[in-house]
Amino acid sequence: MNVKHSFKLILIMMLVSFALQLRPISIFGEEDELEEPVSTSDVAGRANHDTVTLASNSILENPTNHTDVVPLKRNLQLLGFGTFDLTDYYGPQTERYVREFQSYYGLPVDGVAGPSTLEKLATLAATPFQNGKSHNDTIKLKEYLYILGFWDSKSGTNYYGVQTAQAIRKFQSKYGLRVSGVADDLTWAKLEEYATGPLRSDMYRDDVIALKEKLELLGFGKFAKNNYYGPQTERYVREFQSYYGLPVDGIAGSATLEKLATLAATPFQNGKSHNDTIKLKEYLYTLSFWDSKSGTNYYGIQTAQAIRNFQSKYGLRVSGVADNLTWTKLEEYATSPLRNGIYRNDAIPLKEKLELLGFGKFGKNNYYGPQTERYVREFQS
């Protein structure tokens, strides 16, 4: 056999040998799929190739086997993206959760664990706000959890344990976050947003006490003096908002708090003094709720009771505080045309004219009562 033929034979044998070593790569297999993952012998056969690929491209994608897939899955699982058998196979399931992870954190969604995805995963997985870690800011995290009804104490240690993780899971579930028990940036942002935001149902915060005091002062409910904003508080906040023409949502936002503060600061309440209280008492006298045409500028218990009686008769919120709506109604009725139940000086000439024209006999006083009303009706008829 000449040299040329010998060389061809050797080349053919080498190609056959190489072909026999090649194995098909399975694209299936992970713990929640029916197909089997690539065998460990296949992984070993391509170890050098995978190392070169990762070194040059820094990506993991479907399908591949690589030792770096194990920490990838571990980090995904930690952050609430899937439950895995921690094999080194990157298949359809891993790709799906990588896509979900990318979408959730605003990364380009391609299902490939490239540098930006791996870096984000590593950063989030290294957070101290996970089970078994300690950090001073965990104290603030527990304060936020307490405010929002997920923790049983206003204070706590800097240790993030099983109970903390469970509280975070409940918070994440309620507010539409990825449920992991790890307080990532998105969880922190939502925690702070709600814990420091407007008062709403299921909050425990000290400024709830002042809110309740103002609501009660203005006739909206009777409250225990605690820091819990529950369904009862929400109901009366809604009633307050409806009564004063505010958007009704049961949340004590800036407009609601400002209105409450303004009304609660009125001088027309028990224990305060104001010159216009003299006019208020004149109106009350005119409408039969006060026993004297004149009075002092002091708004005491009797004034508050007279205002309650007036508010009850005319369909107002009964509080004993003369808010703007009460003042408007007082002035409307006290300065309106004469009618039954009014004490006003112009009732005297009215009676004189009625009597002159043969409609009744009257005492010369300023009271427009049932008798005056009867003769006015006869005159009108």
Side-chain angles (χ1 to χ4, degrees):
M1 186 179 295
N2 59 34
V3 174
K4 186 175 181 179
H5 287 134
S6 298
F7 177 76
K8 286 183 178 179
L9 182 59
I10 291 170
L11 181 60
I12 291 169
M13 292 176 65
M14 289 176 65
L15 288 172
V16 171
S17 177
F18 178 73
L20 289 172
Q21 292 180 45
L22 292 177
R23 300 175 188 270
I25 299 175
S26 171
I27 61 171
F28 304 105
E30 289 190 64
E31 71 286 357
D32 61 353
E33 295 156 357
L34 296 175
E35 291 79 7
E36 290 295 323
V38 178
S39 69
T40 55
S41 61
D42 294 333
V43 176
R46 294 200 313 275
N48 292 334
H49 171 73
D50 286 340
T51 302
V52 173
T53 302
L54 288 171
S56 60
N57 299 320
S58 299
I59 62 170
L60 294 168
E61 60 185 321
N62 177 29
T64 197
N65 289 80
H66 194 278
T67 54
D68 287 347
V69 175
V70 176
L72 169 76
K73 288 180 175 180
R74 186 179 292 114
N75 291 343
L76 285 169
Q77 187 166 295
L78 172 68
L79 297 169
F81 294 88
T83 302
F84 300 94
D85 288 332
L86 297 178
T87 67
D88 59 5
Y89 178 57
Y90 191 120
Q93 185 203 24
T94 309
E95 179 182 353
R96 174 163 66 90
Y97 286 117
V98 166
R99 287 181 179 276
E100 291 182 12
F101 173 83
Q102 291 167 331
S103 175
Y104 187 70
Y105 288 104
L107 299 170
V109 180
D110 57 10
V112 176
S116 60
T117 297
L118 292 172
E119 182 180 347
K120 185 69 173 178
L121 263 171
T123 300
L124 292 170
T127 178
F129 306 113
Q130 61 178 290
N131 184 28
K133 304 284 181 119
S134 295
H135 193 280
N136 284 340
D137 286 346
T138 299
I139 297 171
K140 175 61 69 177
L141 178 136
K142 290 177 180 177
E143 289 177 14
Y144 288 161
L145 287 170
Y146 167 78
I147 288 171
L148 297 172
F150 296 95
W151 198 251
D152 59 3
S153 173
K154 290 176 69 173
S155 60
T157 69
N158 68 352
Y159 180 68
Y160 195 116
V162 174
Q163 288 179 313
T164 315
Q166 185 57 36
I168 288 293
R169 285 188 191 95
K170 291 178 180 177
F171 171 78
Q172 290 168 329
S173 177
K174 180 174 180 178
Y175 290 100
L177 298 166
R178 199 79 191 190
V179 178
S180 64
V182 175
D184 62 350
D185 292 345
L186 297 180
T187 300
W188 263 103
K190 190 69 76 174
L191 264 174
E192 188 168 24
E193 174 190 348
Y194 279 92
T196 63
L199 289 167
R200 64 184 70 208
S201 189
D202 292 329
M203 289 183 76
Y204 293 81
R205 207 166 74 190
D206 289 345
D207 49 343
V208 173
I209 296 172
L211 172 78
K212 289 179 174 180
E213 289 172 350
K214 292 181 178 71
L215 286 169
E216 193 168 308
L217 172 68
L218 297 168
F220 294 89
K222 294 287 185 183
F223 299 95
K225 297 301 185 287
N226 56 44
N227 68 350
Y228 178 54
Y229 190 119
Q232 181 196 27
T233 311
E234 180 182 357
R235 175 164 66 89
Y236 285 118
V237 166
R238 287 181 179 275
E239 291 182 12
F240 173 83
Q241 291 168 331
S242 176
Y243 187 71
Y244 288 104
L246 299 169
V248 179
D249 57 11
I251 298 171
S254 57
T256 298
L257 291 177
E258 184 177 340
K259 186 70 173 178
L260 265 171
T262 300
L263 292 170
T266 179
F268 306 113
Q269 60 178 292
N270 183 30
K272 306 278 181 150
S273 296
H274 193 279
N275 285 339
D276 286 345
T277 299
I278 296 171
K279 174 61 70 177
L280 178 137
K281 290 177 179 177
E282 289 178 12
Y283 288 160
L284 286 171
Y285 166 78
T286 298
L287 297 171
S288 304
F289 295 97
W290 198 250
D291 59 3
S292 172
K293 290 178 64 176
S294 61
T296 70
N297 69 353
Y298 180 68
Y299 195 116
I301 293 174
Q302 288 179 314
T303 314
Q305 186 55 51
I307 288 293
R308 285 189 192 94
N309 294 340
F310 170 79
Q311 290 167 329
S312 178
K313 180 174 180 178
Y314 290 99
L316 298 166
R317 198 81 192 190
V318 178
S319 64
V321 175
D323 62 352
N324 292 340
L325 297 180
T326 300
W327 264 102
T328 299
K329 190 71 76 174
L330 262 174
E331 188 170 25
E332 175 189 345
Y333 281 91
T335 61
S336 68
L338 287 165
R339 69 184 67 201
N340 188 9
I342 282 182
Y343 290 82
R344 206 166 72 194
N345 288 341
D346 52 343
I348 296 173
L350 171 74
K351 289 179 176 182
E352 290 173 349
K353 293 181 177 71
L354 285 169
E355 194 170 309
L356 174 66
L357 297 170
F359 293 91
K361 293 288 184 181
F362 300 97
K364 298 299 185 286
N365 57 48
N366 67 352
Y367 179 54
Y368 189 119
Q371 181 193 30
T372 310
E373 181 183 4
R374 177 164 63 88
Y375 285 116
V376 167
R377 287 180 179 276
E378 289 181 11
F379 170 81
Q380 291 168 331
S381 176

